[in-house]
Amino acid sequence: MNKLRVALPKGRLFNDALSFIKMMGIQISEPEGRKLLSKNGMYEMLVARVFDVPVYVEYGIDLGITGSDVVEERESDVFIPLSLPFGKCRLSIAVPENINVSLKEMDGWRIATKYPHITKKFFDKINVDIEIVELKGATEIAPGIGIADAIAEIVEKGTTLKENHLKEIAKISDVSALLIVNRISQKTKFDLINHLINKAKEVRNGS
Amino acid sequence: MKKDIFSLSEKFEKVSKEAREIFNLWNYREVFLPSIEAFNPHLRKGLKFAYNNKFYLIKPDLTSQVSLYAKKKNLRVFYISEVLKDSVKGEWQLGAELLNGKDISMHIEMLMIIISLLELMNIKEFYIDVGSLQVWKNEIGENKELEEKVFESLRKRNFEIIETLPISKNKKENLWHLFNFRGRDTNYEKLKNIVDVLNDKRIFIDFGTVRPLPYYNDIIFEIYSSKIGYYIGGGGDYLINGRKCIGFGLNLKALSLLSKSTKKEKRTVVHNYREAFSLVKNHTPIEVKDE
């Protein structure tokens, strides 16, 4: 029997991702207590940091769900057969609310972000030279405490930005959850993976 | 903690030694390429840097590097070297290039070398998927925009990119058929002939096969095993000034992980260096021990 290993992200995507894979027919429960792994018959589920999911899938976990922002940032060598109908948000540039600035005027600015590659690429495209301050979280406080001039961060409703006296001035990209597949599993488990992708498409399209 | 470079070197040395013997049997000569090349748009990968107002690349992709030195004559070379992938992150590779070859004998020769390399390294559980870029180009025609979208769809294995294109239903169905084709029988004669001659159950025709580098011309292949989650290697044919060439690269780390041979070469134990010197002159493997 073909074993299938799935990696799901901790955090805001977890509940949607878990119900989605269950609707795809992967019947598996959330790991108990502080465990990060659960098993049910042929299925094994691993719960990892959202930034690590594409790395696990790139190096051998068969299938995963994570954000498009993370896959782009990690430049992971994985298949991306489907975008999913949850985790919708955007990656944006935000500056302190009392400053009026255009992107072109941000030459030499220091930008705090969890997404150094995407941010650098975005500014390179418009020929604006910026300095990146890489942070692992809570970037919204960086301009307020003076370690950066602006941030590149995920925005859902904009509440966190508002509470930290920031305003969104440009969108880098739309973000959504993605189904990702290990390139070798796509070959060695061809029929099973294709069946699951079709099933995911049906679930997503509500058919 | 720093990785154990000596233990890693021991594994790489073993695999490299076996590879050198096999390449010699196939009459391939080892090529020693410079670590740094002046920047050239034909070179792929490598780490870019500037020195004295000139641009250079450290450890670029080896196929594109070998092609810089290719003369008109027929050439069979192999290499064992590190490649930097647009960053300081490197990957050790061993590979071969056959320059100025002929269809389909060069394809068969290259794939046979790969099979013999893997088998002699005692790696039995592997597969080779062979695909064709020409098959896609025939279906797409001269439409560059469509070609770009189709290859993006292949790289991501996301057929939805094709589904949203303004092309006929019939065209989409043909592309869907190619997208999901995996087997051993095809109407594309060139590919069918290659697979028929090799007659190996580990070889599949998979039109969904894609390679990350842009210089390939038609036939491409990927080598993998269900025992590790990433590719052992890959390759394909390409043209240099209209002349047909083919090459492949294998990941040395993947080979050393999969290679199971535990055979240890018997060495003559000697206790003094003069005796060791005379034995080595006669190609006898030795191990010198302190008295």
Side-chain angles (χ1 to χ4, degrees):
Chain A
M1 189 172 61
N2 253 339
K3 197 165 77 172
L4 189 94
R5 297 190 296 174
V6 184
L8 295 191
K10 282 181 191 171
R12 70 182 181 96
L13 288 178
F14 181 75
N15 288 336
D16 286 334
L18 183 62
S19 8
F20 194 86
I21 62 159
K22 281 184 176 170
M23 285 191 278
M24 281 165 63
I26 300 174
Q27 292 309 325
I28 194 155
S29 309
E30 191 177 341
E32 287 169 12
R34 296 177 74 87
K35 284 185 185 165
L36 296 171
L37 203 69
S38 66
K39 287 180 188 178
N40 183 17
M42 66 179 276
Y43 300 118
E44 240 178 65
M45 181 171 74
L46 162 85
V47 183
R49 281 181 64 232
V50 66
F51 267 80
D52 293 338
V53 170
V55 182
Y56 279 111
V57 174
E58 184 174 357
Y59 288 98
I61 297 291
D62 300 306
L63 203 129
I65 289 178
T66 191
S68 54
D69 51 333
V70 176
V71 177
E72 202 186 331
E73 177 62 28
R74 287 284 203 171
E75 294 179 332
S76 302
D77 190 16
V78 292
F79 284 134
I80 311 166
L82 215 57
S83 62
L84 302 175
F86 54 88
K88 303 262 184 207
C89 51
R90 57 195 180 272
L91 177 61
S92 292
I93 303 290
V95 300
E97 58 190 6
N98 58 346
I99 291 177
N100 285 321
V101 66
S102 72
L103 292 173
K104 286 275 182 194
E105 291 167 331
M106 290 175 79
D107 210 68
W109 278 43
R110 192 181 282 173
I111 308 210
T113 185
K114 280 186 276 186
Y115 305 92
H117 291 119
I118 301 177
T119 309
K120 187 86 179 67
K121 255 198 249 171
F122 175 76
F123 280 101
D124 280 353
K125 259 189 200 163
I126 54 170
N127 283 324
V128 173
D129 192 21
I130 48 121
E131 187 189 333
I132 296 280
V133 178
E134 190 177 347
L135 296 175
K136 299 287 178 205
T139 49
E140 289 87 351
I141 59 165
I145 59 170
I147 66 160
D149 305 307
I151 64 166
E153 185 52 285
I154 291 294
V155 181
E156 234 177 311
K157 290 175 190 154
T159 321
T160 319
L161 290 186
K162 218 172 228 176
E163 283 174 3
N164 288 283
H165 310 291
L166 298 167
K167 66 177 179 191
E168 197 177 349
I169 60 157
K171 182 172 80 176
I172 297 180
S173 62
D174 284 311
V175 172
S176 83
L178 299 175
L179 180 72
I180 58 174
V181 173
N182 173 271
R183 294 169 63 94
I184 304 296
S185 304
Q186 176 63 52
K187 290 178 179 295
T188 54
K189 298 172 184 174
F190 190 74
D191 292 330
L192 175 64
I193 299 279
N194 280 355
H195 166 76
L196 288 168
I197 293 169
N198 286 334
K199 201 76 198 143
K201 213 180 267 184
E202 281 173 28
V203 174
R204 189 199 57 181
N205 298 342
S207 52
Chain B
M1 196 178 75
K2 274 205 183 283
K3 59 186 171 191
D4 182 356
I5 201 77
F6 298 109
S7 150
L8 193 67
S9 300
E10 203 176 303
K11 288 175 191 157
F12 282 8
E13 184 201 9
K14 184 177 146 294
V15 171
S16 307
K17 196 176 164 193
E18 284 169 336
R20 282 192 170 97
E21 282 172 13
I22 299 157
F23 280 127
N24 282 331
L25 293 171
W26 284 97
N27 201 22
Y28 276 62
R29 297 173 68 181
E30 186 157 8
V31 59
F32 296 87
L33 294 157
S35 299
I36 297 171
E37 291 284 0
F39 182 80
N40 179 320
H42 297 297
L43 287 170
R44 303 287 162 182
K45 299 184 183 171
L47 181 68
K48 296 178 192 76
F49 75 100
Y51 178 72
N52 274 354
N53 294 326
K54 284 186 180 163
F55 290 102
Y56 297 91
L57 278 174
I58 307 176
K59 292 277 179 189
D61 162 62
L62 292 150
T63 301
S64 55
Q65 196 179 6
V66 168
S67 71
L68 288 184
Y69 300 93
K71 297 273 184 322
K72 281 188 177 169
K73 62 178 183 181
N74 181 293
L75 198 64
R76 287 172 164 81
V77 292
F78 75 93
Y79 57 79
I80 299 171
S81 181
E82 192 177 23
V83 177
L84 299 182
K85 294 172 152 184
D86 304 307
S87 72
V88 290
K89 205 173 143 195
E91 178 186 298
W92 277 89
Q93 287 183 358
L94 67 83
E97 307 294 333
L98 192 165
L99 307 174
N100 302 316
K102 278 186 189 150
D103 279 345
I104 59 174
S105 58
M106 66 176 191
H107 299 92
I108 292 162
E109 178 172 325
M110 233 356 101
L111 289 163
M112 277 189 165
I113 292 174
I114 295 169
I115 296 169
S116 61
L117 269 168
L118 296 171
E119 285 197 346
L120 289 165
M121 287 176 185
N122 215 3
I123 302 169
K124 300 269 163 60
E125 204 272 290
F126 66 86
Y127 302 96
I128 303 177
D129 280 6
V130 192
S132 159
L133 298 175
Q134 200 52 53
V135 163
W136 289 97
K137 285 175 188 164
N138 292 346
E139 196 56 54
I140 295 163
E142 289 299 307
N143 187 338
K144 277 280 156 206
E145 211 176 308
L146 176 61
E147 185 179 313
E148 212 172 276
K149 288 286 177 194
V150 167
F151 282 109
E152 184 193 346
S153 143
L154 280 169
R155 275 193 306 277
K156 293 184 174 171
R157 206 172 164 77
N158 184 331
F159 197 75
E160 288 192 321
I161 296 169
I162 294 175
E163 271 169 357
T164 56
L165 293 173
I167 50 173
S168 70
K169 202 178 162 202
N170 193 26
K171 177 78 76 189
K172 281 181 192 170
E173 272 172 20
N174 291 347
L175 293 170
W176 174 248
H177 175 72
L178 283 179
F179 194 85
N180 283 306
F181 183 91
R182 190 177 156 78
R184 287 199 180 86
D185 201 7
T186 169
N187 293 330
Y188 188 46
E189 279 296 311
K190 186 174 167 184
L191 201 50
K192 187 171 162 40
N193 288 341
I194 293 169
V195 173
D196 283 351
V197 172
L198 289 164
N199 190 24
D200 190 311
K201 282 184 178 165
R202 295 167 295 198
I203 297 180
F204 291 91
I205 296 168
D206 181 348
F207 289 126
T209 302
V210 277
R211 297 289 303 148
L213 291 161
Y215 45 65
Y216 294 113
N217 182 49
D218 182 15
I219 303 296
I220 46 176
F221 45 86
E222 291 177 322
I223 306 115
Y224 59 96
S225 164
S226 60
K227 297 207 187 293
I228 50 170
Y230 52 94
Y231 285 103
I232 300 172
D237 62 19
Y238 55 96
L239 298 171
I240 302 178
N241 300 327
R243 288 171 282 125
K244 290 177 176 174
C245 307
I246 188 166
F248 72 85
L250 302 179
N251 180 330
L252 216 55
K253 193 175 172 194
L255 292 175
S256 65
L257 279 172
L258 291 167
S259 171
K260 278 191 189 140
S261 167
T262 51
K263 253 195 312 181
K264 224 179 173 182
E265 202 174 353
K266 254 195 165 172
R267 290 173 185 278
T268 307
V269 178
V270 286
H271 292 281
N272 74 67
Y273 285 96
R274 194 159 297 280
E275 190 187 348
F277 179 66
S278 61
L279 286 168
V280 167
K281 278 207 293 189
N282 291 322
H283 298 272
T284 309
I286 53 112
E287 191 177 341
V288 184
K289 287 223 165 134
D290 289 336
E291 301 251 20

